[in-house]
């Protein structure tokens, strides 16, 4: 049952990086954290904004509509993907294609998952450009990649599926 629970359920064989904002312990603006969600685990109580595979030889896929496993996904990406906040997203396994993780989620007014920079372009020129446009997302992605390379990787509260 898919609800507005706001978690990622990793039912694939892929490791997943998760980027999310968290309160700054020093006060001020929120900070970005990056964690790893291993196969067979679900995030617990964290509103994740973006995900990507831990190995760039693997891909996250979207089939359109309600997602799920299809012969020819509408897109596949090994870059950062924007997932809709508050919506449970399941990453499903296709045993015939273990390097692909198929996103399955309830489609709501929040929209469907999308490549992070493609999504960001929709805000360019609008009043949210400074916080959600291409330049802002490129800056955030650079920060996430730096956290992955140099640390610290944050501990993500998870539970077994």
């Amino acid at each position: 049952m898919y609800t507005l629970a706001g978690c990622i359920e990793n039912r694939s064989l892929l490791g997943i990086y998760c980027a999310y904002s968290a309160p700054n312990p020093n006060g001020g603006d929120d900070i970005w954290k990056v964690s790893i969600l291993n196969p067979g685990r679900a995030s617990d109580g964290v509103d994740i904004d973006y995900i990507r595979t831990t190995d760039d030889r693997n891909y996250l896929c979207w089939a359109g509509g309600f997602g799920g496993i299809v012969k020819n996904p509408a897109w596949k990406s090994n870059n950062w993907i924007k997932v809709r906040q508050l919506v449970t997203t399941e990453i499903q396994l296709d045993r015939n294609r273990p390097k692909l993780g198929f996103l399955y989620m309830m489609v709501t007014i929040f929209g469907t998952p999308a490549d992070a920079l493609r999504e960001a372009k929709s805000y360019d020129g609008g009043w949210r450009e400074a916080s959600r446009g291409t330049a802002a997302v490129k800056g955030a992605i650079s920060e996430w990649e730096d956290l992955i390379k140099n640390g610290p990787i944050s501990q993500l509260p998870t539970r077994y599926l």
Side-chain angles (χ1 to χ4, degrees), residues 80-134:
W80 288 95
I81 301 297
K82 169 70 176 169
V83 291
R84 300 305 177 198
Q85 296 175 352
L86 304 177
V87 178
T88 296
T89 301
E90 183 179 302
I91 303 166
Q92 296 181 342
L93 167 67
D94 179 352
R95 294 203 179 277
N96 295 322
R97 296 176 285 177
K99 291 187 166 291
L100 303 183
F102 287 81
L103 299 174
Y104 188 85
M105 62 184 285
M106 178 160 86
V107 177
T108 69
I109 59 170
F110 299 110
T112 60
D115 177 87
L117 291 177
R118 187 172 65 236
E119 170 72 9
K121 284 181 186 177
S122 68
Y123 292 97
D124 287 349
W127 64 275
R128 293 182 181 160
E129 180 172 359
S131 62
R132 296 187 182 181
T134 306

Side-chain angles (χ1 to χ4, degrees), residues 20-87:
Y20 52 97
S21 60
N24 188 333
N26 301 317
D29 293 338
D30 287 354
I31 59 172
W32 283 109
K33 289 189 174 186
V34 175
S35 297
I36 294 176
L37 182 63
N38 289 314
R41 306 285 293 189
S43 62
D44 194 12
V46 176
D47 194 10
I48 295 167
D49 296 296
Y50 298 87
I51 60 176
R52 83 162 171 85
T53 60
T54 56
D55 184 336
D56 65 7
R57 294 170 294 182
N58 299 327
Y59 296 87
L60 295 174
C61 301
W62 176 248
F66 284 100
I69 296 171
V70 297
K71 185 174 181 179
N72 297 307
W75 56 257
K76 65 180 185 176
S77 176
N78 59 4
N79 296 316
W80 288 95
I81 301 297
K82 169 70 176 169
V83 291
R84 300 305 177 198
Q85 296 175 352
L86 304 177
V87 178

